[in-house]
């Protein structure tokens, strides 16, 4: 099992709409594709919102397959198009980190 840490930089004016879109749409659709979100956090500054979440995967092949399916989802493409037309830029950048547990630690979510 591995974990994936995703960090999104969001413009402060779109913090609320971004979080609403993630909660109401992205997380819901991700679940249908077998995403296992372990936890979500925010860090708010004057310049940006950092939205951070942690996923659990069996392996990198599962991670890549599920992401490809989610990104090809027509509903998700339409939701992104509509929210971008209404609010503008939602994401300034994404940091994506694949975390492999050490020999002396388990991945988060391994018992699920």
């Amino acid at each position: 099992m591995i974990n994936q840490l995703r960090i999104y930089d969001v413009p402060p004016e779109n913090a609320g709409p971004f979080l609403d879109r993630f909660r109401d749409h992205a997380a819901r659709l991700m679940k249908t594709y077998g995403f296992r979100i372990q936890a979500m956090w925010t860090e708010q500054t004057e310049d940006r919102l950092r939205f951070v979440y942690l996923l659990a995967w069996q392996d990198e092949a599962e991670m890549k397959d599920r992401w490809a399916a989610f990104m090809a989802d027509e509903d998700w493409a339409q939701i992104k198009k509509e929210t971008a037309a209404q609010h503008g830029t939602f994401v300034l950048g994404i940091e994506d980190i694949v975390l492999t547990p050490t020999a002396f630690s388990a991945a988060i979510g391994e018992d699920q």
Side-chain angles (χ1 to χ4, degrees):
M1 175 152 289
I2 61 171
N3 291 117
Q4 181 184 24
L5 185 69
R6 304 265 299 178
I7 304 170
Y8 293 28
D9 286 325
V10 179
E13 65 273 10
N14 278 339
F18 172 86
L19 292 171
D20 291 346
R21 182 177 81 173
F22 196 93
R23 180 195 63 229
D24 297 340
H25 302 291
R28 172 181 54 84
L29 289 169
M30 287 173 166
K31 189 173 184 177
T32 69
Y33 288 102
F35 282 57
R36 293 181 300 279
I37 299 174
Q38 302 300 299
M40 295 177 255
W41 304 270
T42 60
E43 175 198 26
Q44 183 83 45
T45 68
E46 281 187 26
D47 300 335
R48 67 177 180 205
L49 169 79
R50 292 182 78 191
F51 176 71
V52 180
Y53 62 107
L54 184 72
L55 296 154
W57 302 106
Q58 289 303 315
D59 52 37
E60 284 196 49
E62 179 192 43
M63 179 184 74
K64 289 176 183 177
D65 179 64
R66 302 289 168 89
W67 271 110
F70 172 70
M71 294 307 290
D73 186 279
E74 291 180 18
D75 288 340
W76 180 235
Q78 185 62 34
I79 290 163
K80 286 182 6 178
K81 182 178 176 181
E82 289 172 4
T83 55
Q86 186 176 9
H87 299 286
T89 302
F90 264 59
V91 178
L92 301 171
I94 300 173
E95 189 171 354
D96 185 19
I97 305 166
V98 176
L99 302 166
T100 304
T102 63
F104 49 87
S105 177
I108 293 174
E110 202 159 26
D111 59 335
Q112 296 180 357

